[in-house]
Amino acid sequence: MLQYVIRRLLYSAVVLVLASFLVFMFVTVSGDPLAALKITPNVSEETVQNIIERKHLDEPVPVRYYEWVKDALTNKFGTTLLTDEPILPDLWRVMKNTLQLVLVAELLAILIAVGIGVYSALRQYSVFDYSMTTFSFLGLATPVFWLALMLQVAVVQIYLATGRNVFPIANLNSVDPGEGLSFVIDRAHHLVLPVIVLMVANIATYSRYMRASMLEVVNSDYVRTARAKGLAESRVTMKHAFRNALIPLVTLVALNFGTLLGGVVVTETVFSLDGMGLYFVNALGTNDPYPVMAWLMITATMIIIFNLVADITYGLLDPRVRYD
Amino acid sequence: MTERSAEPVAPEPVQPAAGAALAADPALADVDLGLSYDSGVELKARSQWAYARMRFFRHRLAVGSLIVLILICLVAVFAPQLAPYGFDELDLDNITASPTLEGWHLFGTDQLGRDYLSRVIFGVRTSLWVAVFVALLSTAIGTAIGAIAGYYGGQVDNLLMRFTDLILTLPGLAVLLTAAVFFGANDSEVFGIMIPQPMKIGLILAFLFWTAVARIVRGLFLSLREKEFVEAAKAAGAGDMRIIVRHMLPNCVGPIVVNTTLVVAAAILVEAALSFLGFGIQPPNAALGKLIADGQGEGFNLWWLVTFPGLVIVVIALCINFVGDGLRDALDPTQRRTRT
């Protein structure tokens, strides 16, 4: 087991280095990040030259990659291209905000999806089951950003009709959020719509999985045995079936982390939330390779860790799984 | 969608008898054996495809979705003839009109008086084109890689699958965005061939979408290569290419087709998100995601500008998923009811 984890981590490190080089090459070779700056009036030749020297832009790509790695390891991912501001403090701030949003959304989504999945499986082909199937088909066919926009449209229409502002449609907090409890309430109020948006697609996926795995378990031999022993139906479903049906979901949730980040990029942009997604989109907008690289490295590391966690928990939950 | 228990038994996949490599010839599969009994009951030998067609057409939702999709495709193909207005045509008498029958502004107009029904029709044209391109290209790449990995196994398999894992660990949308910004922003010329910008977005998407089909094909090939008919073909002296293309691939058609369909839907959604963020398909090319972003810029009191293009995306994605589901039931009976 320990050997397996170490081997996986070593392999992941190699993958990460390879991927970072590829992405770096890709990002730096494809264009001049200073092109826009050079044609801006009032920017002296000297400023441009300074940036070029500071970031070694006139050197060949391997040298620039080496400089970047040095910066990343010794200087916390270095500084941005144009303004020379340190990258990591900004990244920590947005990560904290995103974590709040994602944790709340993910926990709620899992709870609701497990409920829906189990109930649909126990009442297969009931009206409830069919409506939830329809819901998940719709949820999977709806673009995340459009759902976010439609919620905003609804809030604006309610405002136009009644003059009441039901939910804030942008930002993490009001201008003056107050402190303590009132800050928390203000934040929660602002997060309602983004959380709903992030939840929908995940509920659609998770509830399908939960239903499928619950159906499989309910029809298995050991559940029949449990019934034959004369156990109460509630005990059969909750103790014998439900717990085992959860196993595939655990893996799915951990593996879904990358997808979740995608949803965050779009949701945070639409609701202008100061999180990782918006940070990334803004960095892309300025054509600055350095924050983009830092962002990609951190998220790739997290995805690798989550994948490993998924595999390990799967083994812990299901002893039949062998590592090799 | 009800479980159908009275399903005709699915015929085994094309498995020619040992040594008879010729029987894999699809031309022979349709031969009507013409067996008839004296009682007058005629037995008709149905091909695999006939059974698949029967199963598909029994899936009413899938058939309905297919009809809707065909209509949408026709409208997209004949957009210049069918759209009531041009993509950038202004109707200054009807500025910010809410959806109305008057002047055929079914989806309303924006502040410049541009007709959103027409803009959506042109948008569907680009978006569908890109999505189909992505599906075909990624299927081709994925099938080739999966087939080689599954057929040769060993080190080749190991290397190719590690590469597939690498792509799978990347944060998908983020990599797409990066690639679109740093690579896909303009038309460009490669070896004297013009690559239009939407096609570049398609290339980038295809690069991320081939992994699923590669894994499917590899899995199928791993089990198929142990089958007797492959051994027979080998014994008959067939080369690797011939075995892969003529004997093994035809047995993977079902899952591949199903996956291709689902990729079209996924590609439409992802491309819309990219274009919405401003990093996907660039003007002057129309794209549904960009239309929604434009609509957002006009303010939410003009709700129709945001609503209708998005609704069209939902309808297209929904229909494709239903058709994919129907195809799965028809072509891939072993995979039944895993998604729903």
Side-chain angles (χ1 to χ4, degrees):
Chain A
M1 174 79 170
L2 186 68
Q3 210 186 357
Y4 170 79
V5 172
I6 292 172
R7 191 146 36 89
R8 276 284 297 264
L9 283 176
L10 281 177
Y11 165 70
S12 303
V14 173
V15 164
L16 209 57
V17 171
L18 274 178
S20 75
F21 183 67
L22 285 178
V23 175
F24 189 83
M25 235 175 58
F26 194 64
V27 167
T28 47
V29 166
S30 57
D32 182 7
L34 296 177
L37 188 75
K38 279 176 186 161
I39 54 164
T40 317
N42 303 329
V43 173
S44 67
E45 190 73 13
E46 204 181 337
T47 324
V48 175
Q49 205 54 45
N50 274 341
I51 296 178
I52 291 180
E53 255 164 52
R54 192 172 68 226
K55 292 292 185 190
H56 310 277
L57 291 187
D58 46 355
E59 308 270 4
V61 175
V63 178
R64 288 172 64 187
Y65 178 70
Y66 169 73
E67 292 294 337
W68 174 77
V69 172
K70 214 169 70 182
D71 242 18
L73 293 178
T74 60
N75 195 21
K76 303 170 181 169
F77 287 113
T79 56
T80 55
L81 182 69
L82 299 184
T83 49
D84 202 22
E85 279 171 48
I87 291 172
L88 204 60
D90 277 343
L91 257 177
W92 280 133
R93 188 192 73 241
V94 294
M95 271 173 86
K96 255 173 30 198
N97 291 338
T98 294
L99 207 62
Q100 266 179 15
L101 174 67
V102 165
L103 273 185
V104 175
E106 196 68 358
L107 281 177
L108 283 175
I110 293 170
L111 280 178
I112 297 174
V114 166
I116 292 175
V118 170
Y119 196 75
S120 297
L122 294 179
R123 304 264 181 285
Q124 203 184 358
Y125 307 130
S126 65
V127 177
F128 178 83
D129 188 22
Y130 280 126
S131 1
M132 285 305 128
T133 306
T134 317
F135 162 79
S136 65
F137 262 103
L138 273 175
L140 290 176
T142 309
V144 176
F145 70 91
W146 184 69
L147 181 66
L149 286 170
M150 290 322 288
L151 289 179
Q152 291 184 328
V153 166
V155 168
V156 169
Q157 292 300 322
I158 292 174
Y159 178 73
L160 290 176
T162 65
R164 280 199 50 199
N165 208 349
V166 207
F167 290 112
I169 58 171
N171 298 333
L172 278 169
N173 277 113
S174 321
V175 186
D176 183 19
E179 277 173 42
L181 189 62
S182 73
F183 179 88
V184 175
I185 292 175
D186 184 64
R187 173 63 62 94
H189 198 203
H190 278 77
L191 285 186
V192 171
L193 295 185
V195 164
I196 293 178
V197 169
L198 280 180
M199 272 164 52
V200 167
N202 280 344
I203 293 181
T205 323
Y206 295 165
S207 65
R208 290 286 86 194
Y209 264 84
M210 193 61 214
R211 177 178 180 273
S213 100
M214 189 72 184
L215 277 177
E216 202 182 307
V217 171
V218 163
N219 293 321
S220 63
D221 290 341
Y222 67 85
V223 169
R224 195 175 309 132
T225 312
R227 283 218 182 88
K229 283 195 301 189
L231 290 184
E233 189 59 30
S234 62
R235 202 176 159 78
V236 173
T237 17
M238 293 320 291
K239 279 256 169 181
H240 291 248
F242 174 65
R243 284 168 147 206
N244 282 300
L246 272 180
I247 296 175
L249 194 72
V250 174
T251 333
L252 180 71
V253 169
L255 288 178
N256 200 32
F257 186 71
T259 326
L260 200 65
L261 279 175
V264 163
V265 169
V266 173
T267 313
E268 288 181 351
T269 311
V270 176
F271 288 106
S272 18
L273 307 177
D274 182 31
M276 292 186 77
L278 192 60
Y279 179 87
F280 185 63
V281 169
N282 286 339
L284 284 175
T286 57
N287 257 0
D288 186 342
Y290 298 101
V292 171
M293 286 299 293
W295 195 97
L296 283 173
M297 284 302 105
I298 289 183
T299 47
T301 311
M302 288 200 289
I303 291 180
I304 287 173
I305 292 173
F306 270 84
N307 281 347
L308 189 58
V309 169
D311 285 349
I312 293 173
T313 44
Y314 199 69
L316 290 178
L317 293 171
D318 187 347
R320 285 170 301 184
V321 175
R322 289 274 165 271
Y323 298 107
D324 49 55
Chain B
M1 275 159 286
T2 50
E3 188 77 36
R4 283 172 295 275
S5 48
E7 200 75 39
V9 179
E12 279 286 292
V14 196
Q15 281 185 22
L22 263 178
D25 193 335
L28 292 181
D30 276 327
V31 170
D32 186 342
L33 296 177
L35 295 175
S36 57
Y37 288 81
D38 290 339
S39 59
V41 180
E42 199 167 318
L43 274 186
K44 202 176 165 199
R46 287 203 180 92
S47 74
Q48 262 208 102
W49 292 108
Y51 276 113
R53 246 193 330 271
M54 272 169 51
R55 281 195 294 265
F56 182 79
F57 282 112
R58 209 171 310 147
H59 202 304
R60 268 175 302 170
L61 205 54
V63 176
S65 302
L66 187 64
I67 295 172
V68 174
L69 269 182
I70 291 174
L71 286 179
I72 292 177
C73 286
L74 283 178
V75 171
V77 169
F78 296 105
Q81 287 79 33
L82 286 174
Y85 296 83
F87 179 66
D88 274 326
E89 195 178 333
L90 310 180
D91 180 3
L92 294 173
D93 296 332
N94 289 303
I95 288 172
T96 67
S98 54
T100 163
L101 272 175
E102 197 181 321
W104 283 98
H105 296 303
L106 294 180
F107 290 180
T109 63
D110 65 7
Q111 290 177 7
L112 293 170
R114 290 180 297 194
D115 176 53
Y116 251 60
L117 175 62
S118 308
R119 287 176 81 74
V120 166
I121 291 176
F122 282 99
V124 169
R125 191 179 153 97
T126 327
S127 295
L128 267 183
W129 187 88
V130 170
V132 170
F133 176 75
V134 171
L136 294 181
L137 185 61
S138 65
T139 304
I141 300 174
T143 306
I145 290 184
I148 292 172
Y151 183 78
Y152 291 104
Q155 283 302 317
V156 183
D157 179 33
N158 211 353
L159 193 72
L160 285 174
M161 281 305 114
R162 286 290 88 81
F163 183 55
T164 315
D165 287 346
L166 176 79
I167 304 277
L168 281 173
T169 44
L170 297 172
L173 189 67
V175 171
L176 277 177
L177 284 168
T178 316
V181 168
F182 289 99
F183 166 76
N186 311 97
D187 298 349
S188 61
E189 227 180 274
V190 180
F191 302 122
I193 305 164
M194 263 302 275
I195 302 183
Q197 197 262 335
M199 198 184 196
K200 280 170 92 175
I201 298 295
L203 287 173
I204 297 171
L205 285 172
F207 180 71
L208 266 126
F209 274 115
W210 60 265
T211 48
V213 75
R215 295 191 139 199
I216 295 171
V217 172
R218 171 182 174 265
L220 289 167
F221 263 56
L222 282 180
S223 70
L224 280 176
R225 74 173 177 177
E226 310 295 334
K227 290 264 158 72
E228 289 84 354
F229 68 88
V230 171
E231 211 174 308
K234 256 186 205 149
D240 287 349
M241 263 311 269
R242 189 182 166 83
I243 294 177
I244 291 177
V245 176
R246 293 282 297 164
H247 296 268
M248 291 167 88
L249 271 183
N251 282 301
C252 304
V253 167
I256 293 177
V257 168
V258 171
N259 190 70
T260 310
T261 325
L262 298 177
V263 167
V264 176
I268 282 195
L269 293 179
V270 174
E271 181 269 308
L274 280 183
S275 302
F276 170 74
L277 291 171
F279 303 126
I281 295 170
Q282 303 292 337
N285 300 300
L288 290 172
K290 185 77 180 67
L291 282 181
I292 297 177
D294 291 350
Q296 184 197 19
E298 306 247 336
F300 286 138
N301 45 343
L302 307 183
W303 56 269
W304 51 89
L305 302 182
V306 182
T307 310
F308 288 110
L311 218 49
V312 171
I313 297 178
V314 175
V315 169
I316 294 176
L318 202 59
C319 286
I320 296 176
N321 281 339
F322 281 142
V323 170
D325 232 47
L327 282 177
R328 188 199 312 274
D329 288 358
L331 297 174
D332 194 6
T334 52
Q335 286 275 312
R336 293 195 50 190
R337 301 282 151 223
T338 43
R339 259 179 87 253
T340 52

